[in-house]
Amino acid sequence: MAVRRLEPCVQLPLDEKTLKEVVTSARDWALMHGACMRSKTNYNEDILQFAPFALLPSVFPRKEFERAVNIQPILNELMHKVAHDHEFLTSSLKSTIEVDEFTGNMFKIYETVYNEGFAQQEVSLGLLRSDYMVHSYSDSVVKQVEINTIASSFGAISSKLTAFNRYVLRELGHEEKLENLPPNSALAGLCGGMIKAWKIYGNPKAVIMIVVEDVTYNICDQRFHEFYIRENHPDVGVLRRRYSDLKDQAKLTDNKALFVDGHEVAVVYYRTAYEPAQYGGAEGWKTRLLIERSKAIKCPSIHYHLAGTKKVQQALAHPGCLERFITDSAKVEAIREIFTGLYSLDFDEHGDRAVDMAIANPERYVLKPQREGGGNNVYGQKIREVVEKMKSSKERTAWILMERIAPPVQKNYIVRPGQNNLPEPTDVVSELGIFGVVIGDAEKILVNEQVGHMLRTKLSTVDEGGVAAGLGALDSPYLADL
Ligand code: ADP
Ligand code: MG
C-alpha cells in the first residue's frame, strides 16, 4: 500500500534568494527566542545553538489534530486510574519485572511505598504527553505511538514555535495562512499544573524542585518552566538540583516532609530518572525511594511512572481491558480508535503468535523494550534477528511488539546548526504530541486538562526522530482540511 503524500502549505521549492534570507532570519529568531539546545559535540555551558527546525509548519489534518486534542482528558483519566489500580499494574508488569532490572527496581519501590501507604501524600501530579502519528493505512486516523508520564519534554520550546512559524510565514508573504496555526500554551499549562500541585501541598514556604541530569543539553526547555514560574508566580520558590546531588542533600523529617538544602519541597518535577544510567547505581535508587516515601507531590509518582511503561500500554490494548477503567462506551470507543496493534511477547498463545508475526513480517512492526528517551527500539529486518535470538528465553517478555505506523510524507526544509549549504526540500514525516495535566488521588481527579501540543518532524527515511537526539526537528502543525 502506498503511503499518502500531503502538499506543503507553501509551494516548494522557494527561490534561492528568498530561501537564503528566510533561513538566516529564522535561525536568528530561534536563537534569540531560546528555541535552542547545548551542543553535544562542543559542549560548553556558555553557548547555545538553535535546535534543528522545520522551516515551514508541516501540514497536519485538522480533524486528526482535533481528535488528539479532544481525547487528552479521557487519556488523563485513563492513566490516572491505571496508576491507582494495584492489581492491574502488578499483573501487567509481572513477567516483565522478572527479567527487566530497571522496571523491576521501579516496581520494588512501588511495592514498598504501596505497602507503607503512599506516605502522607496521596496526590500525584501528571504532566503527560501523548504522541501520535497519522496512519496512512487506516483512513488517516492518528495512532498513539506512546504516552509519556515522566519528563515529557518540549512543551516549553514548542510554545515558542507557533510564533516562530507565524514569523516565517509572514516573511514569506503568507499572512492569510496564519489562521491555520493553532495557538499553543503548553508552557503556561504545564507550569499551571505545577502551581496547582504546589497550592494543594499547602505550605507557602515550600518550593517546587526541578530534578535534572548531570549534564543537560535540552536546557532551554527545562529553564523556561523555571523562569515562567518565577516570573508569573514570584511567591513560589523553585529549586533546581541534579539527581546525583540529592543523595547527600535530600532528607526526610519524621513527618515525611522532604527537605533539600534547608528548603521544604512541595512538588518534585523530574526531568531525569527515566533511564537506568541516570540513577548511577544503588545510591540513585535509594534517592528515588526516599523521595517516594516523602509527602512531596511527585511528578511523576512511582505508580504514574509505571503506568507510562510500554508494557502497560500494550496491556491496555488487550480486548476488554479499557472497560475496566472507563465506563462510558463512547469514550472507550474513542480510545480504541487511536490504538494500533500492540502485542505482548509473553509465553502464552498470544505471545507465540506475536513471535511468529514478527519473524514473518518484521517490516510491519516496531519492537520495543521498557525504555524511554529514544534510540532503544528495533526496526525492520533487525527485528527478525532479535526475536529469533530471544524467542526461547525469558528475556522476550520484557519487550512488546507494535504495529508500525506509516505517516504521510510531505516536503519541507530541515535546518540544522552547523549546516553550511542551503537546505533542499526533503521528504519528511511528523509526530504530534499533546500535553495533558492531571492531578488527583486514588479517590478523585482534581484537575484534568489538555494544555497544548508539540510537533516534531524527521526525514521520512529514518526510524526515530528524537529532537534531543539530533534526529528530529522542531515544528508546528499547519492545520488543513484534507
Ligand atoms: P521512546 O520512549 O524512546 O520515545 P517511542 O515509543 O516514542 O519510544 O519510540 C521512539 C520513536 O520511534 C518515536 O518517536 C517514533 O519516531 C518511532 N516509533 C515508535 N513506535 C512507532 C510505530 N509504532 N510506528 C512508527 N514509528 C514508531
Ligand atoms: Mg517517545
Side-chain angles (χ1 to χ4, degrees):
M1 217 186 289
V3 163
R4 193 170 169 197
R5 183 168 277 281
L6 305 176
E7 284 309 311
C9 68
V10 168
Q11 208 182 358
L12 299 185
L14 300 172
D15 70 79
E16 201 175 310
K17 182 164 172 286
T18 309
L19 179 64
K20 197 169 178 178
E21 276 178 17
V22 79
V23 165
T24 307
S25 309
R27 247 178 3 212
D28 288 345
W29 196 103
L31 280 167
M32 294 174 65
H33 290 78
C36 297
M37 296 196 292
R38 284 180 178 143
S39 166
K40 284 194 169 160
T41 46
N42 283 312
Y43 182 79
N44 180 340
E45 288 193 0
D46 292 348
I47 298 174
L48 292 174
Q49 59 184 24
F50 68 86
F53 60 80
L55 185 65
L56 302 167
S58 290
V59 169
F60 202 92
R62 188 185 308 273
K63 199 167 126 247
E64 295 311 308
F65 178 81
E66 285 165 2
R67 185 199 300 274
V69 163
N70 292 335
I71 205 168
Q72 189 58 42
I74 307 175
L75 295 178
N76 289 345
E77 177 187 345
L78 174 68
M79 295 313 286
H80 186 82
K81 290 182 173 164
V82 168
H84 289 90
D85 189 327
H86 179 67
E87 197 187 294
F88 182 74
L89 284 183
T90 308
S91 63
S92 12
L93 292 168
K94 189 171 178 294
S95 57
T96 300
I97 59 175
E98 284 173 24
V99 282
D100 184 66
E101 193 187 349
F102 180 64
T103 316
N105 284 342
M106 293 205 298
F107 199 82
K108 265 185 233 151
I109 292 181
Y110 165 70
E111 271 191 318
T112 307
V113 286
Y114 179 82
N115 291 330
E116 289 173 2
F118 287 133
Q120 279 43 268
Q121 190 50 265
E122 299 277 332
V123 173
S124 291
L125 166 63
L127 300 181
L128 315 182
R129 197 188 73 213
S130 181
D131 291 338
Y132 304 90
M133 284 171 168
V134 167
H135 195 16
S136 286
Y137 301 163
S138 70
D139 302 331
S140 293
V141 167
V142 277
K143 295 290 175 185
Q144 186 181 55
V145 174
E146 66 159 347
I147 188 157
N148 300 285
T149 59
I150 182 163
S152 307
S153 61
F154 288 110
I157 298 185
S158 296
S159 302
K160 311 261 167 196
L161 262 251
T162 310
F164 169 82
N165 284 115
R166 292 174 72 87
Y167 170 75
V168 169
L169 282 182
R170 260 204 195 105
E171 291 310 288
L172 291 171
H174 292 287
E175 182 79 30
E176 82 289 354
K177 297 192 193 280
L178 301 187
E179 63 182 27
N180 295 317
L181 291 169
N184 189 5
S185 52
L187 176 62
L190 296 169
C191 292
M194 285 191 248
I195 298 288
K196 283 174 191 154
W198 176 85
K199 285 190 180 143
I200 290 170
Y201 187 81
N203 175 359
K205 290 211 192 80
V207 300
I208 295 174
M209 177 168 72
I210 304 187
V211 186
V212 300
E213 327 87 315
D214 282 348
V215 179
T216 296
Y217 298 103
N218 196 10
I219 185 73
C220 298
D221 195 58
Q222 292 180 2
R223 283 285 192 190
F224 276 134
H225 291 92
E226 195 174 327
F227 299 158
Y228 180 94
I229 294 170
R230 294 296 295 149
E231 211 168 303
N232 294 283
H233 303 270
D235 52 321
V236 182
V238 179
L239 202 63
R240 181 183 166 87
R241 284 295 178 272
R242 296 187 305 187
Y243 190 83
S244 55
D245 292 333
L246 296 176
K247 71 175 186 302
D248 300 321
Q249 296 182 9
K251 305 269 180 294
L252 279 194
T253 62
D254 289 344
N255 72 349
K256 304 278 193 262
L258 175 65
F259 273 80
V260 173
D261 254 359
H263 301 276
E264 181 168 354
V265 178
V267 177
V268 180
Y269 171 51
Y270 289 102
R271 289 297 295 253
T272 184
Y274 52 83
E275 56 183 38
Q278 293 166 336
Y279 284 79
E283 285 293 334
W285 289 103
K286 275 193 207 155
T287 303
R288 183 78 194 260
L289 177 60
L290 181 130
I291 293 173
E292 287 305 319
R293 277 183 164 145
S294 79
K295 66 173 183 181
I297 297 177
K298 277 80 71 182
C299 177
S301 54
I302 194 76
H303 40 301
Y304 252 84
H305 192 171
L306 287 171
T309 54
K310 295 182 171 67
K311 187 68 196 171
V312 166
Q313 180 190 9
Q314 175 265 310
L316 283 171
H318 205 74
C321 187
L322 289 172
E323 287 81 353
R324 181 182 175 111
F325 304 100
I326 307 282
T327 43
D328 181 336
S329 60
K331 286 184 182 176
V332 168
E333 196 40 49
I335 302 175
R336 210 174 294 295
E337 226 170 332
I338 60 153
F339 279 2
T340 186
L342 285 149
Y343 310 95
S344 102
L345 296 183
D346 285 351
F347 282 98
D348 57 20
E349 63 181 291
H350 302 292
D352 289 343
R353 202 176 319 129
V355 164
D356 292 343
M357 282 160 30
I359 291 171
N361 296 104
E363 69 289 347
R364 284 197 202 158
Y365 303 98
V366 179
L367 182 67
K368 300 190 179 186
Q370 307 306 305
R371 290 291 176 277
E372 301 293 327
N376 302 297
N377 301 338
V378 181
Y379 302 84
Q381 295 303 317
K382 187 106 200 294
I383 294 180
R384 178 179 286 147
E385 216 177 283
V386 174
V387 172
E388 286 277 14
K389 217 160 122 194
M390 69 182 176
K391 70 178 182 192
S392 313
S393 106
K394 267 176 103 178
E395 189 202 338
R396 78 181 216 195
T397 62
W399 297 73
I400 64 157
L401 188 71
M402 180 173 187
E403 190 185 338
R404 184 159 188 161
I405 308 165
V409 175
Q410 62 190 295
K411 290 260 189 250
N412 205 335
Y413 294 100
I414 304 292
V415 182
R416 296 177 192 285
Q419 211 171 35
N420 293 322
N421 303 328
L422 275 180
E424 302 271 343
T426 35
D427 278 348
V428 298
V429 295
S430 300
E431 184 171 350
L432 175 72
I434 301 290
F435 292 98
V437 174
V438 54
I439 305 177
D441 60 22
E443 303 302 315
K444 56 193 177 305
I445 293 178
L446 305 164
V447 175
N448 181 356
E449 298 167 340
Q450 180 280 129
V451 296
H453 60 267
M454 76 161 304
L455 193 75
R456 69 197 138 150
T457 291
K458 63 178 184 184
L459 301 187
S460 63
T461 47
V462 301
D463 292 323
E464 291 202 14
V467 178
L471 292 168
L474 296 171
D475 198 352
S476 298
Y478 180 91
L479 302 186
D481 300 301
L482 300 167

